[in-house]
Amino acid sequence: MWVLVLLSFCLNQALPNRLPDFSSDPLLDYDLLDDELGGGRRWSGNRTSGSEDCGLCEPDLCPETRGCRAGLVPDSCGCCQECGNLEGQACDPGDRSPFYGLCGTGLRCQTDPRPAAGGRGEEDEEEDVCVCEEQEPVCGSDGTTYMNMCQFREAAFSRADLQTRGAGPCNTVPTIKVPPESQVNGTGSSLVFLCEVFAFPMAQIEWRKEGRDVVLPGDDPHISVQSRGGPLKFELSSWLQIERAELGDSGTYHCTAQNNLGSVSASAVLGVLGAEELSSYLANSVSEMQQLMDASDYNQDFY
């Protein structure tokens, strides 16, 4: 009997009256507690909102990664590696990736520097995206100008022979990025042709009408030409505007871009119609569009 009483007294002295209450600490890392109790190292971080239980870190079981054009980054558990996010993709700031992922080599996660499509309102949430740290253009050995080093790395990922020819844009013959589009409208209307050109050195743009050996606008008061740099680096945008169009304005218009390395040209056709002709033209266009839509619906039903 006395032996049992003595054993009970010893146990009460060796063990605390109650276990500590950890539930009030929201930042407690239960996985590290498991480690202290002999459960092994876990890689999930704390069990707060948005976290996940990653389990034991076993690098040998990590999935194989391929086609990572922006290099490798740690996954959300910090155990394996995964493909880094490319330029312009949404990202998680910091060194953990619970939602979108981390930016790849040479990229940093910051607020999107580009303006929103419809203008950014006060209530709109700003999005963090991957932005290249080296924004200077690079000339590739393929003669292509890459607007930053990250774009060059993406291209070089699938082309082992691609090298940098030097900093800055490549000297190149002008390239028409956005050619003028043909159009039809009525007399008295206002018409605009757009031509966007990329070149280095910067190109000069001229507008001409086929059949007239005159650089527009010439001395015609209802025709004007405006040009400005952009929308991207080393690009030039030019507009040919015709106010109060007349039947005689119908014809083919040429946009020609030229620098000291060469020239390039693109053309578009303008049709100016009277009121009756325009009405008939529009009616025929609507009828043709309806026939195409009906044929498309028939094909979908058939298959």
Side-chain angles (χ1 to χ4, degrees):
M1 180 65 178
W2 288 104
V3 174
L4 293 177
V5 172
L6 180 62
L7 179 60
S8 176
F9 175 78
C10 293
L11 288 175
N12 287 334
Q13 293 297 318
L15 296 175
N17 293 332
R18 62 184 179 89
L19 291 175
D21 181 10
F22 296 107
S23 61
S24 62
D25 185 358
L27 298 180
L28 175 66
D29 192 333
Y30 284 91
D31 291 331
L32 292 180
L33 180 61
D34 289 343
D35 186 35
E36 295 294 331
L37 297 177
R41 177 72 176 178
R42 300 174 73 84
W43 290 77
S44 63
N46 61 59
R47 297 266 183 104
T48 58
S49 176
S51 65
E52 60 175 304
D53 184 1
C54 296
L56 294 173
C57 178
E58 300 184 52
D60 292 341
L61 300 181
C62 289
E64 184 178 0
T65 54
R66 294 181 179 179
C68 299
R69 291 179 290 163
L72 298 173
V73 296
D75 66 3
S76 58
C77 293
C79 177
C80 301
Q81 288 191 312
E82 62 185 6
C83 292
N85 289 355
L86 299 169
E87 183 181 22
Q89 289 185 326
C91 56
D92 293 313
D95 57 358
R96 299 299 298 271
S97 55
F99 299 108
Y100 302 110
L102 301 179
C103 296
T105 304
L107 296 154
R108 63 174 176 269
C109 189
Q110 68 178 53
T111 301
D112 191 348
R114 299 167 299 181
R120 180 168 283 154
E122 293 183 358
E123 294 92 8
D124 294 339
E125 294 185 3
E126 295 182 341
E127 183 181 36
D128 289 331
V129 298
C130 296
V131 176
C132 191
E133 295 178 340
E134 300 179 61
Q135 285 293 331
E136 294 302 315
V138 177
C139 179
S141 56
D142 57 351
T144 299
T145 296
Y146 298 92
M147 291 306 169
N148 57 49
M149 182 57 73
C150 300
Q151 293 182 13
F152 173 80
R153 290 195 189 101
E154 282 191 45
F157 178 83
S158 56
R159 297 179 53 186
D161 61 331
L162 184 60
Q163 304 292 327
T164 56
R165 193 180 284 175
C170 302
N171 292 336
T172 179
V173 173
T175 301
I176 295 182
K177 295 292 186 180
V178 179
E181 295 184 356
S182 298
Q183 53 187 298
V184 175
N185 215 321
T187 54
S189 59
S190 295
L191 308 166
V192 177
F193 288 114
L194 168 65
C195 188
E196 289 183 5
V197 176
F198 173 88
F200 188 82
M202 188 67 74
Q204 292 183 338
I205 297 179
E206 293 182 348
W207 290 90
R208 295 175 183 268
K209 182 182 180 184
E210 193 170 294
R212 293 180 57 189
D213 190 19
V214 176
V215 176
L216 299 175
D219 57 357
D220 196 327
H222 80 298
I223 297 179
S224 61
V225 173
Q226 296 182 357
S227 299
R228 67 170 178 81
L232 301 178
K233 290 181 180 180
F234 316 114
E235 288 188 357
L236 182 66
S237 297
S238 183
W239 295 267
L240 171 69
Q241 184 170 1
I242 301 176
E243 296 283 354
R244 298 181 300 279
E246 305 169 352
L247 296 176
D249 292 323
S250 297
T252 302
Y253 291 81
H254 299 274
C255 164
T256 301
Q258 182 174 3
N259 64 8
N260 59 358
L261 297 175
S263 65
V264 65
S265 181
S267 61
V269 177
L270 172 62
V272 180
L273 307 176
E276 293 184 3
E277 291 178 305
L278 181 61
S279 178
S280 176
Y281 172 82
L282 293 176
N284 290 335
S285 298
V286 171
S287 177
E288 292 176 0
M289 184 177 297
Q290 185 62 50
Q291 291 177 6
L292 290 175
M293 293 177 62
D294 292 342
S296 176
D297 292 340
Y298 172 78
N299 290 335
Q300 290 179 1
D301 293 341
F302 180 77
Y303 289 105

